[in-house]
Amino acid sequence: MYSFEPSDEQKLLIETARRFATDELRKAAHEAEEKKEFPLPLINKGWELGILHASIPEAYGGFGERSALTGALAAEEFAYGDLAGAFAIGTPSLFALPILLAGSEEQKKQHLPAVIAAEWKPYTAALVEPAFDFDPNDLKTTAKAEGSDYILTGEKTLVPFAAQAEMMIVFAKLENETKGFIVPKGAAGLQVQEEREKWMGLNALPFHRVKLDGVKVPASNLLPGDFAPVLDASRLAVAAMAVGVAKAAFEYSRDYAKERDVFGVKVAQKQAIAFMFAEMATEIEAIRLLAWEAAWAIDNKKEDASQKAYLALTGAIDMAMMVTDRAVQILGGHGYIRDHPVELWMRNGRGFATFTGLAMV
Amino acid sequence: MIDFEIPEKIAGIRNVVETVAVNMMRPVSRYFDEHEHEIPWDYINFMHTATRAMGGSSMAASEGKKEGPRFGFQRLAVMVEMLSWGDAGIYLDTPGGMLGSAAVSATGTPEQKERFLARFRGEKPTFDAMCMTEPHCGSDTASIRTTAVLDKEKNEWVLNGEKIFVTAGHKALLDSEGFIVVWATIDPSAGRAGMRPFVVEAGTPGCQVTNMEYKMGIRASDTVTVVLQDCRIPFENILGSPEVITEKSSTSFKGAMATFDATRPIVAAQAIGLARATLELLKEMLAERGVTIRYGLPRQKLTSIEKDVIDMEIMLRSAWWLVLKAVWMMDNGKPNALESSMAKVRAGDVVNRITQKAVEIMGPLGYSREYLLEKWFRDAKISDIYEGTGQINRLVVARQLLGYRSSELR
Ligand SMILES: Cc1cc2nc3c(=O)[nH]c(=O)nc-3n(C[C@H](O)[C@H](O)[C@H](O)COP(=O)(O)OP(=O)(O)OC[C@H]3O[C@@H](n4cnc5c(N)ncnc54)[C@H](O)[C@@H]3O)c2cc1C
């Protein structure tokens, strides 16, 4: 039966996450971006809200069942506060969710409790590769069986917190299929470039290039399950976050346009601007519903869940660009100045075309 | 709890309607496109018999006050989507109460609802229509000039004016014992506050159909001019309660707006059905020619056709959820003025972009009248025009987002 209303529990979560996003993340965002560092205490505070913990069953130290939908609702709120903060807080999910979704029983028992037991720790994952036609289902990084080991070879980019990470999941192509491998810190042949990568946005986060020069891991480090659910989890998360960023840009530019005078009226009273708002809000809501549908399809194990997650993200990429671009436009020259957040959101907005692998729900 | 599963009951009806669309609409689509002003009686009679057999007077959404969740508008949206998938023009010929009835339902008293809507349960298919637009004004509804003057002695209203672009006006007034809802002013100086809806029944002297339009698309649907010349109707044919009638207030205008909250998502559903038909046919035609769509690839690896089709899919699905959310809110008694106009804006855009792109992609095959793509391209355009143009609906959305009255954002 159709319904577009979150459960009471979800509403509570949305409210909590939104409060944290508004009161804490948003306020820290500018300085974090400029100083190129996201404050660890804040990451921990977000971590303590327990979004990941709620996705992990009790048997592995958590206190819930994973719900992609609930995760997506939270992801939107966090990203509404600040995208870098949302990514930072969620980074351990990049390690935990692939294990939860594609790992063996032993792997789950061994790793999940460690990730969620204590404070936020930089567990991470390496998916993206430095190529214009990067395709998560056709990776250039390879895995080859050698006796009872696998040898990983290739190059990864955009790996968050790679330099500090205790462990990471490296995704590689094994006989034409993408598979995840658990790679511990300091594994022979694992070269994490010390210098941080530089991106158009997300300067608050440490990203690193990772080279795999014949990294040898035991067969027991291969996640046996399919990659598809992992990719779906990431596409959905990124789509939901795009909605959050777009919503932030929409609201900020709306409030500004209602204050600013031009030619004797408020900017927002000009149809050319008002119509932009109508379209922005409509587009945001449309893509939000598409993301919810994908999440619902994932949770209900619908056959076309992967296609839905793909469509949701593909739509979200364009939506986020359109909305954040217009937000800057609506502020005029002031939008271009870094004192206002809209230019940061626009830089982040373009990134959604590249961020698959940086979040999972 | 968020849920995207179609309710079982609606799914059942949807299947039935699909059969109608496939068997009774598609085969005659082209014929009625090429024989403008002919009436698809087979379809009409079938629909009338079928709705009667199912115990309903019309497809209209009112369900009474039953316990439990309400589905009326969701069901209606799903049915309309499917009928329009069959044929957007023929769908508009569906008997049994459309826009006129929506106005009666939204603004009429219980007595009026019974008096005017009972006819749809009768033996013969019956139609209604809604007359707002006049030669000099369409979007600017508050400027209508049709007047209603009360003749106190006879206790009758006297209507004078000209209404254009009346959908199904011919069928409501000349092909059945239907009625039209005429918006007129009881005080031309009062603007919106003077506007009132009146019911004029078929056969009323002084009410004449004077013209039938020839159109770009939806040619199976008649669009007529209605001239009211000293047209006398009983006092009781003014819709609404007596206070509303006598006081100078904009309650009636708000009534019209409330009608739109209910009808805009339905017009949007019509757009979605047509868009879905187009996308399905496009994919079929491409597949027959060896082009399949590889979902899941990064954009950089897709062909331009694949990108277009994937974008269409995104537009279509997301717009459909906007429509469903708007009707779901309607069913659940939540104010949905924002959502219903959003749905209309988006669906109007989407159906045009999809049909226009489809004709482009198929090249000469798209442009040819051998296939329905070109017809659907023509049918699509109306979705961005009636029931509030794209611009007007953007205004409605923007005013609500920005908290502006119409005087603050014109
Ligand atoms: C096939 C068909 C069926 C119809 N059926 C019915 C029916 O059953 N009943 C009925 O009453 N009417 C009906 N209409 C009329 C329809 O609702 C109007 O045509 C429509 O509302 C637009 O009015 P208009 O044609 O007078 O255009 P105008 O109001 O003259 O508008 C011209 C242009 O200006 C734009 N515009 C207008 N105001 C603004 C503004 N404030 N800001 C920005 N842009 C603006 C419009 O969007 C449009 O692009 C039908 C029309 C057609 C073509």
Side-chain angles (χ1 to χ4, degrees):
Chain A
M1 187 165 66
Y2 296 131
S3 169
F4 300 93
E5 194 163 19
S7 68
D8 288 345
E9 221 172 295
Q10 287 166 336
K11 280 187 199 161
L12 204 66
L13 173 79
I14 290 173
E15 211 178 288
T16 313
R18 185 173 302 166
R19 202 171 322 119
F20 173 68
T22 317
D23 297 350
E24 316 253 4
L25 288 181
R26 179 72 63 80
K27 288 187 177 140
H30 180 72
E31 199 179 305
E33 169 74 11
E34 295 294 325
K35 287 197 171 157
K36 303 189 179 3
E37 187 174 347
F38 208 89
L40 187 60
L42 204 50
I43 298 180
N44 258 312
K45 212 163 170 186
W47 173 249
E48 278 161 19
L49 293 179
I51 307 294
L52 176 59
H53 309 64
S55 295
I56 310 263
E58 272 173 43
Y60 313 120
F63 52 80
E65 275 309 314
R66 174 202 181 220
S67 155
L69 182 57
T70 306
L73 294 171
E76 176 185 333
E77 297 304 333
F78 276 41
Y80 169 74
D82 179 54
L83 186 64
F87 280 152
I89 293 162
T91 298
S93 304
L94 304 183
F95 182 80
L97 273 178
I99 290 179
L100 183 70
L101 297 172
S104 67
E105 191 56 33
E106 294 85 78
Q107 288 166 341
K108 290 180 198 174
K109 285 225 168 85
Q110 189 185 343
H111 296 290
L112 294 180
V115 179
I116 56 170
E119 300 197 325
W120 178 93
K121 274 196 228 111
Y123 288 91
T124 189
L127 175 67
V128 186
E129 298 176 341
F132 85 97
D133 57 351
F134 161 70
D135 179 352
N137 286 309
D138 185 14
L139 296 176
K140 295 190 170 78
T141 300
T142 56
K144 295 227 156 57
E146 198 184 89
S148 62
D149 297 321
Y150 288 104
I151 309 294
L152 307 176
T153 310
E155 190 170 3
K156 297 288 183 180
T157 185
L158 256 179
V159 187
F161 297 96
Q164 302 151 257
E166 314 262 332
M167 270 187 216
M168 67 174 82
I169 306 281
V170 170
F171 293 97
K173 189 184 208 171
L174 177 69
E175 290 162 7
N176 272 324
E177 239 189 286
T178 297
K179 288 285 182 187
F181 297 85
I182 299 170
V183 177
K185 189 178 197 163
L190 178 69
Q191 299 164 22
V192 179
Q193 197 178 307
E194 209 171 300
E195 197 190 333
R196 280 165 61 163
E197 290 181 297
K198 295 174 181 150
W199 303 103
M200 181 159 76
L202 298 182
N203 286 303
L205 297 186
F207 288 101
H208 297 271
R209 199 54 89 91
V210 171
K211 287 208 177 97
L212 301 130
D213 189 6
V215 174
K216 190 190 272 193
V217 294
S220 58
N221 282 22
L222 161 75
L223 308 186
D226 276 349
F227 176 59
V230 178
L231 183 57
D232 297 347
S234 187
R235 283 178 167 159
L236 171 64
V238 175
M241 288 180 166
V243 173
V245 170
K247 186 181 148 202
F250 165 77
E251 287 184 0
Y252 192 92
S253 54
R254 176 199 60 193
D255 294 347
Y256 182 91
K258 286 192 69 178
E259 288 300 319
R260 175 90 175 165
D261 292 300
V262 286
F263 300 98
V265 294
K266 300 296 178 193
V267 168
Q269 287 177 276
K270 293 284 179 192
Q271 271 198 3
I273 302 295
F275 280 16
M276 284 207 246
F277 284 126
E279 288 162 7
M280 289 154 82
T282 303
E283 198 66 33
I284 293 170
E285 178 68 4
I287 297 298
R288 176 185 287 124
L289 292 174
L290 208 59
W292 285 7
E293 188 202 5
W296 168 84
I298 290 171
D299 287 338
N300 289 281
K301 305 197 166 46
K302 300 284 173 189
E303 227 171 88
D304 57 354
S306 289
Q307 185 172 323
K308 288 196 155 88
Y310 171 75
L311 292 177
L313 176 57
T314 307
I317 289 169
D318 288 348
M319 180 279 294
M321 188 69 253
M322 182 274 260
V323 172
T324 56
D325 170 65
R326 286 179 170 196
V328 171
Q329 189 66 28
I330 287 165
L331 268 74
H334 296 270
Y336 202 68
I337 308 297
R338 293 219 298 277
D339 294 346
H340 288 285
V342 284
E343 65 81 31
L344 170 61
W345 291 331
M346 182 173 166
R347 288 185 279 128
N348 287 342
R350 181 66 292 171
F352 288 104
T354 302
F355 291 158
T356 303
L358 297 198
M360 290 181 195
V361 292
Chain B
M1 186 72 172
I2 293 167
D3 192 351
F4 286 79
E5 198 78 74
I6 186 169
E8 240 172 75
K9 274 191 190 158
I10 301 184
I13 290 173
R14 189 176 187 273
N15 289 338
V16 174
V17 177
E18 183 172 18
T19 319
V20 177
V22 169
N23 296 311
M24 308 217 54
M25 300 174 100
R26 284 288 177 89
V28 295
S29 264
R30 182 55 77 183
Y31 178 89
F32 286 101
D33 182 55
E34 292 183 345
H35 296 76
E36 200 163 7
H37 300 169
E38 279 189 31
I39 302 176
W41 283 113
D42 287 348
Y43 166 77
I44 290 168
N45 288 324
F46 176 85
M47 284 304 275
H48 183 64
T49 315
T51 359
R52 283 189 90 200
M54 280 163 29
S57 60
S58 72
M59 301 201 305
S62 54
E63 270 189 319
K65 287 217 167 47
K66 272 182 275 165
E67 293 290 306
R70 298 172 65 113
F71 298 110
F73 281 97
Q74 295 168 71
R75 188 188 57 203
L76 181 60
V78 167
M79 287 170 73
V80 166
E81 194 270 352
M82 186 57 90
L83 288 173
S84 175
W85 176 90
D87 188 282
I90 297 174
Y91 146 70
L92 289 166
D93 296 333
T94 309
M98 302 269 245
L99 294 180
S101 297
V104 173
S105 294
T107 55
T109 62
E111 180 274 328
Q112 288 173 327
K113 286 182 196 170
E114 179 54 29
R115 183 152 54 96
F116 296 128
L117 302 182
R119 69 197 65 204
F120 298 116
R121 296 191 289 268
E123 228 150 80
K124 289 191 190 148
T126 306
F127 302 86
D128 65 13
M130 161 107 150
C131 312
M132 178 73 88
T133 307
E134 299 183 2
H136 73 286
C137 80
S139 304
D140 185 8
T141 49
S143 298
I144 52 167
R145 289 183 192 149
T146 297
T147 54
V149 178
L150 185 60
D151 177 342
K152 288 203 174 114
E153 254 164 54
K154 294 189 171 147
N155 207 26
E156 285 175 345
W157 294 98
V158 185
L159 303 181
N160 276 290
E162 182 177 352
K163 295 291 184 182
I164 61 167
F165 298 167
V166 181
T167 296
H170 196 281
K171 286 191 288 296
L173 293 173
L174 300 175
D175 303 314
S176 74
E177 303 283 310
F179 65 81
I180 56 177
V181 172
V182 174
W183 287 84
T185 175
I186 53 171
D187 180 356
S189 66
R192 286 175 181 190
M195 286 171 69
R196 299 288 183 277
F198 299 86
V199 174
V200 178
E201 296 180 273
T204 308
C207 171
Q208 262 196 316
V209 174
T210 59
N211 176 46
M212 281 178 100
E213 305 290 350
Y214 292 85
K215 303 190 298 293
M216 178 187 191
I218 53 163
R219 292 181 183 163
S221 162
D222 68 89
T223 310
V224 306
T225 302
V226 174
V227 171
L228 302 146
Q229 209 165 19
D230 293 330
C231 176
R232 289 179 166 268
I233 54 170
F235 176 80
E236 298 77 30
N237 280 20
I238 183 169
L239 287 174
S241 62
E243 305 89 70
V244 176
I245 296 162
T246 43
E247 266 170 46
K248 259 194 204 171
S249 76
S250 53
T251 319
S252 274
F253 184 76
K254 287 188 184 128
M257 296 304 120
T259 314
F260 285 140
D261 294 345
T263 54
R264 279 183 177 148
I266 301 305
V267 175
Q270 178 195 332
I272 299 291
L274 179 53
R276 180 167 65 87
T278 306
L279 184 52
E280 285 175 10
L281 177 58
L282 173 66
K283 281 166 80 173
E284 232 169 75
M285 288 174 77
L286 286 171
E288 279 165 15
R289 289 158 183 82
V291 181
T292 50
I293 310 302
R294 296 167 298 162
Y295 294 92
L297 286 187
R299 283 232 173 118
Q300 291 87 331
K301 287 187 171 179
L302 295 170
T303 63
S304 131
I305 290 181
E306 286 174 318
K307 266 188 262 189
D308 284 341
V309 171
I310 284 168
D311 284 345
M312 289 181 192
E313 205 117 13
I314 291 165
M315 283 184 233
L316 177 67
R317 275 215 85 61
S318 59
W320 176 232
W321 293 125
L322 286 180
V323 173
L324 266 180
K325 186 175 174 191
V327 286
W328 169 82
M329 292 177 85
M330 195 81 202
D331 281 333
N332 286 279
K334 298 174 195 282
N336 73 339
L338 174 65
E339 287 75 9
S340 71
S341 278
M342 272 188 173
K344 172 69 168 60
V345 166
R346 194 72 185 119
D349 274 355
V350 160
V351 72
N352 278 292
R353 279 159 66 182
I354 288 180
T355 51
Q356 289 166 15
K357 205 58 181 177
V359 170
E360 182 201 330
I361 288 176
M362 292 316 295
L365 308 185
Y367 206 68
S368 163
R369 280 201 278 153
E370 200 176 318
Y371 301 95
L372 286 169
L373 289 178
E374 67 78 31
K375 174 185 182 295
W376 292 342
F377 166 102
R378 291 182 285 110
D379 289 347
K381 188 58 200 163
I382 194 58
S383 292
D384 209 18
I385 297 176
Y386 64 12
E387 212 62 10
T389 62
Q391 288 68 42
I392 293 302
N393 276 299
R394 276 170 176 76
L395 274 178
V396 175
V397 171
R399 279 179 197 141
Q400 300 193 57
L401 293 171
L402 297 164
Y404 286 151
R405 281 165 298 163
S406 47
S407 59
E408 295 167 311
L409 182 61
R410 307 172 164 275

